[in-house]
Amino acid sequence: MTQPDNFGFTEEAALLKDSARKLLAEKFTADVLHGMVAGDPTPERGPALHWDEALWAQMQELGWGLLAVPEAQGGVGMPLVAVAGLCEELGRAAFPCPLLPTLSASYLLGAAGAGGEAPLEAIAEGATASLAVSDANGSWDLAQTPVECIDGKLNGTACFVQDIGKVSHLLVCARNGDTTGLYWLAVDAPGVDVQADAIVDLSRDQGRVVFAGVEAMQVCADASAAFARAMPAIWTLYAADMVGAGEWQLQTTVDYANQRQQFDRPLGFFQAVKHQLVDVMVDIDRAKSLVYSAACAWDTEPEEAARYAHMAQSAASDMAASASSRSVQCHGGIGFTWECFVHLFFKRQKHSQMLWGDGPWHRARLASIVMG
Protein backbone atom coordinates (compact mmCIF):
# COMPACT_ATOMS: atom_id res chain seq x y z
CA MET A 1 0.00 0.00 0.00
CA THR A 2 1.35 3.43 -0.93
CA GLN A 3 0.19 6.29 1.26
CA PRO A 4 1.16 9.96 1.06
CA ASP A 5 3.64 11.36 3.56
CA ASN A 6 2.17 11.98 7.02
CA PHE A 7 -1.05 10.21 5.88
CA GLY A 8 -1.89 13.30 3.80
CA PHE A 9 -2.33 15.41 6.95
CA THR A 10 -2.12 18.98 5.63
CA GLU A 11 -1.50 22.36 7.28
CA GLU A 12 -5.22 23.02 6.97
CA ALA A 13 -6.00 19.80 8.84
CA ALA A 14 -3.45 20.68 11.52
CA LEU A 15 -5.02 24.12 11.92
CA LEU A 16 -8.48 22.56 12.36
CA LYS A 17 -7.19 20.09 14.95
CA ASP A 18 -5.22 22.72 16.89
CA SER A 19 -8.08 25.21 16.93
CA ALA A 20 -10.48 22.52 18.17
CA ARG A 21 -8.09 21.56 20.97
CA LYS A 22 -7.68 25.18 22.06
CA LEU A 23 -11.40 25.89 21.97
CA LEU A 24 -12.32 22.81 23.99
CA ALA A 25 -9.42 23.26 26.44
CA GLU A 26 -10.60 26.80 27.09
CA LYS A 27 -14.35 26.27 27.29
CA PHE A 28 -14.96 22.62 28.12
CA THR A 29 -12.50 21.22 30.64
CA ALA A 30 -13.15 17.99 32.53
CA ASP A 31 -14.41 19.86 35.59
CA VAL A 32 -17.01 21.59 33.39
CA LEU A 33 -18.19 18.19 32.13
CA HIS A 34 -18.23 16.81 35.67
CA GLY A 35 -20.24 19.77 36.93
CA MET A 36 -22.72 19.27 34.08
CA VAL A 37 -23.39 15.56 34.68
CA ALA A 38 -22.70 15.06 38.40
CA GLY A 39 -26.09 16.17 39.67
CA ASP A 40 -27.40 12.65 40.18
CA PRO A 41 -24.86 10.04 41.36
CA THR A 42 -27.43 7.26 41.90
CA PRO A 43 -26.80 4.18 39.73
CA GLU A 44 -30.55 3.88 39.10
CA ARG A 45 -30.80 7.35 37.50
CA GLY A 46 -32.95 7.56 34.41
CA PRO A 47 -32.13 8.77 30.89
CA ALA A 48 -30.43 12.16 30.88
CA LEU A 49 -29.55 14.76 28.28
CA HIS A 50 -26.45 16.85 29.07
CA TRP A 51 -24.89 19.28 26.62
CA ASP A 52 -23.80 22.86 26.10
CA GLU A 53 -26.02 24.03 23.25
CA ALA A 54 -24.39 27.47 23.11
CA LEU A 55 -20.92 25.99 22.60
CA TRP A 56 -22.29 23.54 20.01
CA ALA A 57 -23.85 26.50 18.16
CA GLN A 58 -20.42 28.12 18.10
CA MET A 59 -18.95 24.93 16.62
CA GLN A 60 -21.65 24.94 13.94
CA GLU A 61 -20.68 28.52 13.08
CA LEU A 62 -17.10 27.30 12.69
CA GLY A 63 -18.39 24.76 10.15
CA TRP A 64 -17.60 21.56 12.03
CA GLY A 65 -20.96 19.99 11.15
CA LEU A 66 -20.47 20.32 7.40
CA LEU A 67 -16.88 19.10 7.11
CA ALA A 68 -18.01 15.80 5.54
CA VAL A 69 -20.53 17.47 3.20
CA PRO A 70 -19.17 17.81 -0.37
CA GLU A 71 -18.56 21.32 -1.70
CA ALA A 72 -21.23 20.77 -4.38
CA GLN A 73 -23.87 20.56 -1.61
CA GLY A 74 -22.56 23.61 0.26
CA GLY A 75 -20.12 21.85 2.58
CA VAL A 76 -16.36 21.79 3.01
CA GLY A 77 -15.58 18.26 1.79
CA MET A 78 -12.42 17.86 3.86
CA PRO A 79 -10.42 14.60 3.68
CA LEU A 80 -11.26 11.98 6.30
CA VAL A 81 -7.77 12.40 7.75
CA ALA A 82 -8.64 15.97 8.75
CA VAL A 83 -12.07 15.00 10.11
CA ALA A 84 -10.49 12.19 12.16
CA GLY A 85 -8.16 14.76 13.75
CA LEU A 86 -11.17 16.80 14.83
CA CYS A 87 -12.92 13.72 16.26
CA GLU A 88 -9.77 12.92 18.22
CA GLU A 89 -10.06 16.30 19.95
CA LEU A 90 -13.75 15.71 20.55
CA GLY A 91 -12.89 12.48 22.39
CA ARG A 92 -10.11 14.20 24.35
CA ALA A 93 -12.72 16.55 25.81
CA ALA A 94 -15.58 13.98 25.92
CA PHE A 95 -17.69 16.81 24.58
CA PRO A 96 -21.43 15.99 24.45
CA CYS A 97 -22.71 17.01 21.01
CA PRO A 98 -24.25 15.47 17.85
CA LEU A 99 -21.13 15.90 15.69
CA LEU A 100 -20.14 12.21 15.40
CA PRO A 101 -23.63 11.00 14.36
CA THR A 102 -24.01 13.94 11.95
CA LEU A 103 -20.66 13.18 10.32
CA SER A 104 -21.65 9.51 10.12
CA ALA A 105 -24.91 10.41 8.38
CA SER A 106 -23.03 12.71 6.02
CA TYR A 107 -20.69 9.94 4.89
CA LEU A 108 -23.61 7.54 4.35
CA LEU A 109 -25.57 10.18 2.43
CA GLY A 110 -22.53 11.01 0.33
CA ALA A 111 -22.14 7.34 -0.56
CA ALA A 112 -25.84 7.05 -1.47
CA GLY A 113 -25.50 9.05 -4.68
CA ALA A 114 -27.93 11.58 -6.13
CA GLY A 115 -30.66 10.90 -3.55
CA GLY A 116 -28.40 12.07 -0.75
CA GLU A 117 -27.86 15.54 -2.16
CA ALA A 118 -30.93 17.23 -0.64
CA PRO A 119 -30.28 15.92 2.93
CA LEU A 120 -26.61 16.90 2.59
CA GLU A 121 -27.69 20.42 1.64
CA ALA A 122 -29.86 20.47 4.78
CA ILE A 123 -26.85 19.46 6.91
CA ALA A 124 -24.81 22.20 5.24
CA GLU A 125 -27.50 24.66 6.33
CA GLY A 126 -27.34 23.52 9.98
CA ALA A 127 -29.39 20.34 10.29
CA THR A 128 -28.03 17.55 12.47
CA ALA A 129 -28.72 13.85 12.02
CA SER A 130 -28.26 10.40 13.49
CA LEU A 131 -28.37 6.90 12.03
CA ALA A 132 -31.41 4.73 12.84
CA VAL A 133 -30.09 1.47 11.41
CA SER A 134 -29.70 -1.03 14.30
CA ASP A 135 -32.08 -3.67 15.63
CA ALA A 136 -32.63 -4.64 19.28
CA ASN A 137 -29.47 -6.79 19.22
CA GLY A 138 -27.31 -3.93 17.97
CA SER A 139 -26.89 -5.38 14.47
CA TRP A 140 -26.78 -3.01 11.51
CA ASP A 141 -26.85 -5.94 9.05
CA LEU A 142 -29.19 -4.87 6.25
CA ALA A 143 -30.80 -8.34 6.27
CA GLN A 144 -31.95 -7.72 9.87
CA THR A 145 -33.22 -4.18 9.42
CA PRO A 146 -35.97 -3.62 12.02
CA VAL A 147 -37.92 -0.99 10.05
CA GLU A 148 -40.10 -1.66 7.00
CA CYS A 149 -41.33 0.75 4.34
CA ILE A 150 -44.86 -0.02 3.13
CA ASP A 151 -46.57 2.25 0.61
CA GLY A 152 -43.97 4.92 1.30
CA LYS A 153 -44.47 4.91 5.09
CA LEU A 154 -42.09 3.60 7.76
CA ASN A 155 -43.10 1.11 10.47
CA GLY A 156 -40.92 -0.57 13.10
CA THR A 157 -38.42 0.23 15.86
CA ALA A 158 -34.80 1.26 15.41
CA CYS A 159 -32.53 0.90 18.46
CA PHE A 160 -29.26 2.37 19.73
CA VAL A 161 -29.83 5.71 17.96
CA GLN A 162 -27.01 7.98 19.11
CA ASP A 163 -27.57 11.48 20.51
CA ILE A 164 -31.24 11.20 19.57
CA GLY A 165 -32.09 14.02 21.97
CA LYS A 166 -29.75 16.44 20.19
CA VAL A 167 -30.37 15.84 16.48
CA SER A 168 -33.01 17.34 14.19
CA HIS A 169 -33.18 14.56 11.57
CA LEU A 170 -32.82 10.79 11.16
CA LEU A 171 -31.32 8.68 8.39
CA VAL A 172 -33.28 5.43 8.59
CA CYS A 173 -32.55 2.01 7.12
CA ALA A 174 -35.79 0.26 6.07
CA ARG A 175 -36.78 -2.85 4.11
CA ASN A 176 -38.74 -2.18 0.93
CA GLY A 177 -39.64 -5.43 -0.79
CA ASP A 178 -36.50 -7.38 -1.65
CA THR A 179 -34.09 -4.54 -0.91
CA THR A 180 -33.22 -2.27 2.01
CA GLY A 181 -33.20 1.47 1.38
CA LEU A 182 -32.33 4.68 3.16
CA TYR A 183 -34.90 7.27 4.22
CA TRP A 184 -34.58 10.83 5.55
CA LEU A 185 -37.02 12.49 7.93
CA ALA A 186 -37.29 15.00 10.76
CA VAL A 187 -37.23 13.71 14.35
CA ASP A 188 -40.47 15.60 15.11
CA ALA A 189 -42.34 14.17 12.10
CA PRO A 190 -45.86 12.82 12.86
CA GLY A 191 -45.75 9.15 13.92
CA VAL A 192 -42.21 9.28 15.35
CA ASP A 193 -41.94 8.26 19.02
CA VAL A 194 -38.53 8.67 20.70
CA GLN A 195 -37.89 6.56 23.82
CA ALA A 196 -34.67 7.50 25.65
CA ASP A 197 -32.36 4.78 27.04
CA ALA A 198 -30.55 4.94 30.39
CA ILE A 199 -26.86 4.46 29.53
CA VAL A 200 -23.63 4.60 31.52
CA ASP A 201 -21.93 7.10 29.21
CA LEU A 202 -22.88 10.48 30.65
CA SER A 203 -21.41 12.41 27.70
CA ARG A 204 -23.91 10.97 25.22
CA ASP A 205 -27.57 10.10 25.01
CA GLN A 206 -29.19 7.22 23.19
CA GLY A 207 -32.67 5.96 22.44
CA ARG A 208 -35.09 3.82 20.48
CA VAL A 209 -37.24 5.31 17.76
CA VAL A 210 -40.66 3.83 17.02
CA PHE A 211 -42.05 4.55 13.54
CA ALA A 212 -45.80 4.22 13.07
CA GLY A 213 -46.82 5.01 9.52
CA VAL A 214 -44.24 7.78 9.11
CA GLU A 215 -43.81 9.51 5.76
CA ALA A 216 -40.16 9.86 4.79
CA MET A 217 -38.08 10.91 1.81
CA GLN A 218 -36.38 8.00 0.04
CA VAL A 219 -32.64 8.59 -0.32
CA CYS A 220 -31.89 5.35 -2.17
CA ALA A 221 -33.78 2.11 -2.83
CA ASP A 222 -30.80 -0.19 -2.18
CA ALA A 223 -28.41 0.87 0.57
CA SER A 224 -25.92 -2.00 0.34
CA ALA A 225 -23.35 -0.17 -1.79
CA ALA A 226 -23.63 2.99 0.30
CA PHE A 227 -23.05 1.04 3.52
CA ALA A 228 -20.00 -0.73 2.07
CA ARG A 229 -18.51 2.63 1.13
CA ALA A 230 -19.43 4.59 4.29
CA MET A 231 -18.92 2.17 7.19
CA PRO A 232 -15.08 2.28 7.10
CA ALA A 233 -15.28 6.06 7.50
CA ILE A 234 -17.74 5.76 10.42
CA TRP A 235 -15.57 3.13 12.17
CA THR A 236 -12.55 5.39 11.73
CA LEU A 237 -14.28 8.40 13.30
CA TYR A 238 -15.28 6.50 16.44
CA ALA A 239 -11.80 4.96 16.67
CA ALA A 240 -10.34 8.49 16.53
CA ASP A 241 -12.65 9.53 19.37
CA MET A 242 -11.34 6.63 21.48
CA VAL A 243 -7.74 7.62 20.75
CA GLY A 244 -8.38 11.18 21.97
CA ALA A 245 -10.09 9.96 25.13
CA GLY A 246 -7.23 7.52 25.72
CA GLU A 247 -4.67 10.32 25.49
CA TRP A 248 -6.64 12.29 28.12
CA GLN A 249 -6.71 9.22 30.38
CA LEU A 250 -2.95 8.69 30.02
CA GLN A 251 -1.96 12.32 30.56
CA THR A 252 -4.27 12.74 33.55
CA THR A 253 -2.97 9.55 35.14
CA VAL A 254 0.68 10.51 34.54
CA ASP A 255 0.05 13.89 36.18
CA TYR A 256 -1.50 12.17 39.18
CA ALA A 257 1.35 9.65 39.43
CA ASN A 258 3.83 12.54 39.50
CA GLN A 259 1.94 14.41 42.22
CA ARG A 260 0.89 11.61 44.56
CA GLN A 261 3.62 10.77 47.12
CA GLN A 262 4.09 7.25 48.44
CA PHE A 263 7.01 6.19 50.68
CA ASP A 264 8.51 9.70 50.16
CA ARG A 265 8.59 9.28 46.37
CA PRO A 266 6.21 10.15 43.53
CA LEU A 267 3.90 7.25 42.76
CA GLY A 268 5.23 7.15 39.21
CA PHE A 269 8.71 6.29 40.52
CA PHE A 270 7.66 2.68 41.10
CA GLN A 271 7.96 0.24 38.21
CA ALA A 272 4.60 -1.35 38.98
CA VAL A 273 3.04 1.99 38.00
CA LYS A 274 5.35 3.32 35.30
CA HIS A 275 5.33 0.05 33.32
CA GLN A 276 1.53 0.11 33.16
CA LEU A 277 1.56 3.69 31.88
CA VAL A 278 4.18 2.89 29.24
CA ASP A 279 2.05 -0.04 28.06
CA VAL A 280 -0.91 2.32 27.66
CA MET A 281 1.25 4.81 25.77
CA VAL A 282 2.31 2.09 23.31
CA ASP A 283 -1.32 0.98 22.87
CA ILE A 284 -2.37 4.56 22.10
CA ASP A 285 0.44 5.10 19.59
CA ARG A 286 -0.47 1.89 17.78
CA ALA A 287 -4.17 2.75 17.66
CA LYS A 288 -3.49 6.33 16.56
CA SER A 289 -1.25 5.24 13.69
CA LEU A 290 -3.87 2.76 12.51
CA VAL A 291 -6.64 5.39 12.72
CA TYR A 292 -4.78 7.80 10.45
CA SER A 293 -3.75 4.96 8.16
CA ALA A 294 -7.42 3.95 7.86
CA ALA A 295 -8.48 7.55 7.17
CA CYS A 296 -5.76 7.90 4.56
CA ALA A 297 -6.85 4.64 2.90
CA TRP A 298 -10.45 5.91 2.73
CA ASP A 299 -9.20 9.13 1.10
CA THR A 300 -6.75 7.60 -1.35
CA GLU A 301 -7.39 3.84 -1.72
CA PRO A 302 -11.09 3.20 -1.06
CA GLU A 303 -10.78 -0.45 -2.08
CA GLU A 304 -8.54 -0.99 0.99
CA ALA A 305 -10.58 1.18 3.39
CA ALA A 306 -12.49 -1.65 5.11
CA ARG A 307 -9.32 -3.63 5.83
CA TYR A 308 -7.59 -0.69 7.55
CA ALA A 309 -10.74 0.51 9.34
CA HIS A 310 -11.16 -2.95 10.94
CA MET A 311 -7.53 -2.75 12.12
CA ALA A 312 -8.06 0.74 13.54
CA GLN A 313 -11.30 -0.09 15.36
CA SER A 314 -9.84 -3.31 16.75
CA ALA A 315 -6.74 -1.57 18.12
CA ALA A 316 -8.70 1.44 19.43
CA SER A 317 -11.28 -0.74 21.22
CA ASP A 318 -8.58 -2.77 22.97
CA MET A 319 -6.65 0.41 23.82
CA ALA A 320 -9.80 1.98 25.27
CA ALA A 321 -10.20 -0.97 27.61
CA SER A 322 -6.57 -0.94 28.77
CA ALA A 323 -6.39 2.85 29.19
CA SER A 324 -9.62 2.86 31.18
CA SER A 325 -8.61 0.09 33.58
CA ARG A 326 -5.09 1.48 34.11
CA SER A 327 -6.33 5.03 34.73
CA VAL A 328 -8.70 3.83 37.44
CA GLN A 329 -6.16 1.46 39.03
CA CYS A 330 -3.33 4.01 39.10
CA HIS A 331 -5.58 6.55 40.81
CA GLY A 332 -5.90 4.03 43.65
CA GLY A 333 -8.84 4.28 46.03
CA ILE A 334 -10.22 7.47 44.51
CA GLY A 335 -10.19 6.06 40.97
CA PHE A 336 -13.67 4.60 41.13
CA THR A 337 -15.34 7.40 43.06
CA TRP A 338 -17.99 9.72 41.64
CA GLU A 339 -15.79 12.75 42.43
CA CYS A 340 -12.82 11.52 40.31
CA PHE A 341 -13.13 12.62 36.69
CA VAL A 342 -11.60 9.46 35.23
CA HIS A 343 -14.92 7.65 35.56
CA LEU A 344 -16.45 9.97 32.94
CA PHE A 345 -13.91 8.88 30.32
CA PHE A 346 -14.06 5.24 31.48
CA LYS A 347 -17.80 5.24 30.68
CA ARG A 348 -17.42 7.05 27.33
CA GLN A 349 -14.74 4.56 26.31
CA LYS A 350 -16.90 1.60 27.32
CA HIS A 351 -19.75 2.94 25.18
CA SER A 352 -17.47 3.56 22.19
CA GLN A 353 -15.88 0.09 22.46
CA MET A 354 -19.21 -1.63 21.87
CA LEU A 355 -21.03 0.81 19.60
CA TRP A 356 -19.91 -0.28 16.12
CA GLY A 357 -18.41 -3.66 16.97
CA ASP A 358 -15.77 -4.50 19.60
CA GLY A 359 -12.19 -5.65 19.01
CA PRO A 360 -12.92 -9.38 18.47
CA TRP A 361 -15.76 -8.57 16.01
CA HIS A 362 -13.48 -6.38 13.89
CA ARG A 363 -10.63 -8.90 14.01
CA ALA A 364 -13.00 -11.61 12.77
CA ARG A 365 -13.99 -9.42 9.78
CA LEU A 366 -10.36 -8.58 9.14
CA ALA A 367 -9.51 -12.29 9.12
CA SER A 368 -12.24 -12.95 6.57
CA ILE A 369 -10.76 -10.25 4.31
CA VAL A 370 -7.17 -11.44 4.68
CA MET A 371 -7.78 -15.21 4.58
CA GLY A 372 -11.04 -15.29 2.62
Side-chain angles (χ1 to χ4, degrees), residues 16-26 89 92 247:
L16 172 66
K17 180 175 168 63
D18 291 344
S19 61
R21 179 180 292 200
K22 290 177 182 175
L23 176 65
L24 290 166
E26 177 184 348
E89 297 308 318
R92 190 188 309 280
E247 288 183 329

Side-chain angles (χ1 to χ4, degrees), residues 101-319:
T102 300
L103 292 171
S104 301
S106 298
Y107 284 114
L108 191 50
L109 287 166
E117 292 178 354
L120 283 170
E121 290 171 358
I123 291 175
E125 293 172 357
T128 52
S130 187
L131 301 180
V133 300
S134 299
D135 65 10
N137 295 318
S139 172
W140 61 90
D141 186 337
L142 296 182
Q144 302 175 33
T145 299
V147 182
E148 188 173 13
C149 182
I150 302 175
D151 297 329
K153 296 183 178 180
L154 304 184
N155 292 277
T157 302
C159 302
F160 305 102
V161 182
Q162 299 303 296
D163 293 301
I164 182 62
K166 306 184 185 80
V167 298
S168 62
H169 287 74
L170 292 170
L171 185 58
V172 185
C173 199
R175 285 178 283 112
N176 188 357
D178 295 333
T179 61
T180 300
L182 286 174
Y183 298 83
W184 174 260
L185 71 153
V187 172
D188 58 0
V192 175
D193 180 25
V194 175
Q195 301 172 359
D197 295 336
I199 60 176
V200 296
D201 181 5
L202 300 175
S203 65
R204 293 189 177 106
D205 70 281
Q206 175 185 285
R208 290 165 290 166
V209 183
V210 180
F211 302 96
V214 181
E215 293 186 358
M217 184 186 80
Q218 187 182 69
V219 173
C220 65
D222 186 351
S224 55
F227 263 80
R229 166 67 174 155
M231 286 311 298
I234 295 171
W235 292 326
T236 302
L237 296 183
Y238 279 89
D241 184 283
M242 284 187 277
V243 167
E247 288 183 329
W248 183 93
Q249 291 173 310
L250 176 62
Q251 186 59 56
T252 301
T253 308
V254 168
D255 292 344
Y256 180 77
N258 285 329
Q259 295 170 7
R260 170 75 185 275
Q261 296 288 314
Q262 192 74 28
F263 304 112
D264 296 325
R265 294 181 182 277
L267 192 63
F269 168 83
F270 301 99
Q271 290 188 343
V273 174
K274 70 173 66 175
H275 284 187
Q276 291 192 49
L277 296 177
V278 169
D279 287 343
V280 172
M281 182 190 71
V282 172
D283 289 345
I284 292 172
D285 283 350
R286 178 168 52 245
K288 189 170 187 173
S289 296
L290 289 171
V291 163
Y292 283 98
S293 181
C296 183
W298 199 86
D299 289 331
T300 61
E301 292 182 293
E303 69 278 6
E304 297 288 347
R307 176 198 301 253
Y308 286 89
H310 285 310
M311 294 169 66
Q313 259 282 0
S314 172
S317 295
D318 291 355
M319 176 278 300

